[in-house]
Amino acid sequence: MSQIWISAAGLCGATLIGAVLGFLIKELPHKWNDTVLGYCAGIMLAASTLGLIVPAFDMTSSTTWWIVVVGVMAGALFLNVLDLVTPHLHHITGLDQEEHRNNKSLNHILLFVMAIALHKMPEGMAAGVSMSTTEIDWSVSLGIALQNVPEGMVIIAPLLVAGVSKIRTMVISLAIGLLEVVGVWIGFGLGSVSLTLLPVMLGFAGGAMLYVTSDEMIPETHAHGYQKQATYALLLGFMTLLLMDKLI
């Protein structure tokens, strides 16, 4: 049982470490902000494909692969619909409702944050399932924890720049980290049953991440004249997670 707590604490702690780093880089100029965001877009691109969608397909058979495709498209559609309700999330940010309506950038940021939050639960479940077997596989938890650091970092800076208070921003980051803790325990508790549910959830989360990476993150990094270095940063971020997956 202690291994489950270690895994859960590690995943949540990695997100909080990234959040602390996010506090340190919130004053970056556009040039470097686009570069960091491009790097994180690469991380999310790799995480959604290599960390979520590919493993989901590996869990299916030649007759059930379609459930992953449905999950991916449903995740993208969910984020598309969520884009319509982000102006109503003023209670989460603590900002005025009118500011949400008139601040398109803030709504994009919230959509991005929601996409990260959305995939924390199935990620945690994946780690929990790996802990429920007779031979515990620590590589899953370690890989997710390493990925959580840049993800936690990229949550913080945009929210602070948008005007959300430091305390509320940290609470949002902590809540997102705790989602993964819940996911670990759900995955561990469901055991073999979650092996049926997990491919759909992983595909759903992967589709959501792909949607927000393509629709929000990449266009934002190309909007201020620094698209070349943002593109190379994206490739570097993608290769970073690819190498981490290879080494682990």
Side-chain angles (χ1 to χ4, degrees):
M1 196 65 69
S2 61
Q3 291 94 331
I4 310 302
W5 281 114
I6 292 172
S7 175
L11 298 185
C12 183
T15 299
L16 294 180
I17 290 172
V20 172
L21 293 176
F23 275 107
L24 299 177
I25 67 165
K26 68 181 180 68
E27 299 297 339
L28 282 178
H30 257 311
K31 178 179 180 180
W32 292 107
N33 187 67
D34 287 349
T35 302
V36 172
L37 192 60
Y39 180 81
C40 290
I43 291 281
M44 287 187 67
L45 191 60
S48 60
T49 53
L50 302 176
L52 294 171
I53 297 174
V54 172
F57 273 116
D58 289 340
M59 294 176 186
T60 61
S61 66
S62 58
T63 58
T64 59
W65 57 268
W66 59 271
I67 65 173
V68 180
V69 177
V70 171
V72 169
M73 300 309 295
L77 181 61
F78 178 79
L79 259 292
N80 195 185
V81 173
L82 194 63
D83 197 10
L84 302 176
V85 304
T86 47
H88 305 289
L89 298 178
H90 59 283
H91 295 299
I92 296 176
T93 63
L95 300 177
D96 184 74
Q97 185 174 2
E98 193 64 29
E99 185 172 353
H100 272 262
R101 290 198 185 99
N102 300 325
N103 192 339
K104 187 176 181 181
S105 175
L106 177 60
N107 294 333
H108 288 339
I109 290 168
L110 281 175
L111 186 67
F112 166 56
V113 171
M114 293 292 273
I116 291 181
L118 188 67
H119 86 280
K120 290 297 180 184
M121 183 77 77
E123 268 191 355
M125 287 182 67
V129 170
S130 70
M131 292 286 163
S132 66
T133 57
T134 53
E135 293 187 10
I136 295 176
D137 184 3
W138 285 100
S139 64
V140 176
S141 296
L142 181 58
I144 295 173
L146 290 172
Q147 171 193 313
N148 283 353
V149 175
E151 283 184 358
M153 181 178 69
V154 81
I155 291 171
I156 294 297
L159 288 173
L160 292 176
V161 171
V164 182
S165 69
K166 290 183 178 179
I167 293 178
R168 194 175 287 265
T169 298
M170 200 64 191
V171 169
I172 291 173
S173 178
L174 178 60
I176 290 174
L178 289 176
L179 283 175
E180 211 150 34
V181 175
V182 174
V184 170
W185 281 102
I186 290 176
F188 177 75
L190 290 177
S192 60
V193 177
S194 63
L195 292 177
T196 304
L197 303 175
L198 201 54
V200 183
M201 294 190 66
L202 290 175
F204 186 89
M209 289 179 70
L210 283 177
Y211 176 89
V212 79
T213 302
S214 174
D215 192 61
E216 304 292 343
M217 295 181 74
I218 295 177
E220 176 65 22
T221 63
H222 288 211
H224 311 105
Y226 306 113
Q227 58 268 23
K228 292 297 183 184
Q229 64 195 55
T231 299
Y232 282 109
L234 182 147
L235 293 174
L236 183 60
F238 187 91
M239 291 307 299
T240 297
L241 204 64
L242 189 66
L243 288 172
M244 281 166 43
D245 182 67
K246 180 69 175 177
L247 293 175
I248 292 172

